[in-house]
Amino acid sequence: MRSDRVRSVLYLPASNARAIEKARTLDCDVAVLDLEDAVAPEAKAAARAAAVEAVRGGGFGPRLGVRINGLDTDWGPDDLAAMKAAGATLVVAPKVETPEAVHALSAGLGKGCALWAMIETPRALMTLADIASADGALDGLMLGVNDLGKALGTGALGTGASADREPFKPWLAMLVAAARANGLLAIDGVFNRIDDADGLAAEAAQGRLYGFDGKSLIHPSQIAAAKAAFSPSDAEIVQARAVVAAFAQPEAGNQGAIRVDGAMVERLHLEQAKALLARAQG
């Protein structure tokens, strides 16, 4: 499993100068300046210039990424070239549907720049294994739930959405499996109802249960809940320490499984415990 801290991935419109400046002060793990959905067509060029200035200017506490427009749009190729020239270290690409798209995007990135591919169409779901295993700069997969819900016809992200994202469950599991099989980050989709704190907490907890590394966010008020959900809890830390301590005892010897607090624990659980403690310290 990747160790990168991507618990909270906040989207901010690159067309909003105040939002860019605010991003420098936020405690999210990753800030993504958006050139795609959050920017009107007539503002695309100005937003691109603002993103270039932000990347070059630096000063961001969180890791900084830029979501470009698709390469099949009028703005995408220029976005990609501008990010390479600016020295961007993370590019998020929307509506990636094929491994060939991963190759094309990777070829246009600067050295050392990571690529996150958004999975948000039915075709992408059908080619997900090929996308995830494509050679190139691919570093993470992101679930684009709004576009995916629209394309599938589920209506799953409206105000009357299923509280447990029932229509999305197969795709939640599939994306995490594809990411894990290829050493990639898995980042859950956005939660649209900004004022529904309980709903956000529940959905973030569900995302972690499915194995996601973090969650995409649309408002700074969502950062704390995402970081809490995707960080080890106090109870988990106590349990992990107990597992590590138990296997360190002489009587554990070379046993493959031992009893800890009334449960049988195998050495694979020891590896999980050590990984969890490492994340907690990070």
Side-chain angles (χ1 to χ4, degrees):
M1 184 182 296
R2 295 289 302 277
S3 61
D4 309 53
R5 293 172 73 85
V6 294
R7 301 163 299 177
S8 51
V9 180
L10 177 66
Y11 283 102
L12 302 126
S15 55
N16 187 326
R18 291 182 62 186
I20 293 176
E21 193 57 34
K22 184 176 180 62
R24 289 185 162 93
T25 68
L26 296 173
D27 62 348
C28 55
D29 295 310
V30 184
V32 177
L33 303 182
D34 190 15
L35 300 178
E36 195 212 13
D37 288 343
V39 179
E42 61 271 16
K44 296 284 190 183
R48 181 191 306 128
V52 167
E53 182 179 353
V55 170
R56 288 178 172 163
F60 291 86
R63 181 182 180 187
L64 182 65
V66 177
R67 178 165 72 170
I68 64 172
N69 290 280
L71 293 185
D72 59 346
T73 69
D74 292 337
W75 313 282
D78 288 339
D79 289 347
L80 187 61
M83 291 309 105
K84 180 178 181 179
T89 58
L90 171 62
V91 165
V92 178
K95 300 178 180 65
V96 174
E97 294 186 320
T98 65
E100 289 76 20
V102 174
H103 299 156
L105 288 159
S106 298
L109 296 175
K111 184 177 180 180
C113 184
L115 172 67
W116 289 357
M118 296 196 68
I119 305 302
E120 46 190 343
T121 68
R123 186 183 181 194
L125 297 176
M126 297 299 99
T127 59
L128 182 54
D130 293 330
I131 292 171
S133 61
D135 294 331
L138 189 62
D139 186 60
L141 300 175
M142 304 183 76
L143 192 64
V145 290
N146 284 333
D147 282 287
L148 184 57
K150 177 184 177 182
L152 291 173
T154 65
L157 267 294
T159 55
S162 168
D164 62 355
R165 296 194 291 183
E166 184 66 29
F168 278 99
K169 287 180 177 178
W171 319 126
L172 297 173
M174 182 182 290
L175 187 141
V176 171
R180 295 289 170 260
N182 294 279
L184 305 175
L185 294 165
I187 303 166
D188 198 0
V190 299
F191 183 80
N192 290 343
R193 300 190 296 278
I194 297 171
D195 296 328
D196 184 0
D198 291 340
L200 171 62
E203 189 169 291
Q206 180 194 51
R208 187 181 176 199
L209 178 65
Y210 269 77
F212 283 93
D213 296 295
K215 190 161 185 64
S216 306
L217 311 174
I218 58 173
H219 194 274
S221 65
Q222 298 178 324
I223 294 172
K227 292 177 72 172
F230 289 95
S231 297
S233 67
D234 291 343
E236 288 174 315
I237 292 172
V238 169
Q239 182 182 27
R241 286 174 176 166
V243 170
V244 172
F247 272 104
Q249 297 301 312
E251 56 266 29
N254 294 321
Q255 296 184 60
I258 60 175
R259 187 167 178 162
V260 180
D261 295 333
M264 291 305 297
V265 177
E266 301 179 9
R267 290 195 174 270
L268 66 90
H269 299 115
L270 173 62
E271 295 175 6
Q272 288 180 310
K274 289 180 177 179
L276 184 144
L277 292 174
R279 291 200 302 275
Q281 293 173 356

